[in-house]
Amino acid sequence: MSRYSKARFLKSAASPDAFGDDSGAEVAFAGRSNSGKSSALNAILRRRDLARTSRTPGRTQFVNLFELEPGRRLADLPGYGHANVPVAVRAAWGRLIESYFMERESLAGLFITADSRRGFGESDRTMLEFAAARGLPAHVLLSKCDKLTRNEARNTLQTVQRALGERADVQLFSAQSGEGVDKAQGALDALLARKR
């Protein structure tokens, strides 16, 4: 049985006053639109469709909250950086994400998914800065690594590790092949344990 077998969708929050219960421990998942964030979340929880995936980038428009067990939650943040999303909508997402980082007392850490074929971008760095401003640890998933050769994947990992240094733990990840899932689960457990 999966260690997250009790995971369930709690709610979608379109505004800070809808975030709800702020006790216990919560880990946020962030990433560019189309970085494989929802697929990564599902793979880590070993649930096929708990977080909705879509071929349409920018589909996650709210902060989607999931309960792993009482007092332990995940927050799936809106994807960022997609050009086809109207400017006003992008601005609203930005305000929502900023409020989330400023207000959530239960926030214990951040996962950032970055497509390994594209590397770690400017928007990803902004998310890292949000976490750093709160003194929170971050864990980077270089997703879709199954699309790269072994050499390309290793080089990408080393490049991002060098660029980020001590600011985040970085690993290769593939929801498709399962590479890195166990390591990501360990990282998630470690982040949640910070707020026991």
Side-chain angles (χ1 to χ4, degrees), residues 73-173:
R73 292 176 305 279
L74 298 184
D76 186 10
L77 304 181
Y80 43 81
H82 194 259
N84 290 346
V85 175
V87 173
V89 174
R90 276 209 306 269
W93 292 355
R95 287 192 298 275
L96 186 64
I97 290 171
E98 201 166 333
S99 296
Y100 175 81
F101 273 98
M102 284 166 50
E103 295 175 19
R104 286 306 266 180
E105 290 299 322
S106 56
L107 188 57
L110 173 68
F111 268 72
I112 300 173
T113 53
D115 188 328
S116 57
R117 298 167 298 179
R118 295 194 171 85
F120 201 79
E122 205 48 54
S123 305
D124 301 315
R125 287 177 200 282
T126 300
M127 297 309 295
L128 207 50
E129 284 162 16
F130 276 136
R134 285 280 308 270
L136 297 170
H139 190 86
V140 174
L141 302 176
L142 295 173
S143 62
K144 307 184 185 185
C145 70
D146 56 299
K147 311 279 191 209
L148 301 176
T149 66
R150 282 274 160 213
N151 267 349
E152 288 170 337
R154 192 169 53 248
N155 289 341
T156 299
L157 177 63
Q158 289 171 348
T159 300
V160 176
Q161 282 174 328
R162 270 198 305 273
L164 299 185
E166 299 293 307
R167 289 181 294 162
D169 290 324
V170 186
Q171 70 162 98
L172 293 169
F173 186 89

Side-chain angles (χ1 to χ4, degrees), residues 40-55:
L41 204 150
N42 286 333
I44 291 167
L45 298 183
R46 299 205 187 279
R47 298 285 290 276
R48 190 177 297 274
D49 54 3
L50 192 64
R52 293 224 180 100
T53 59
S54 170
R55 293 195 179 280

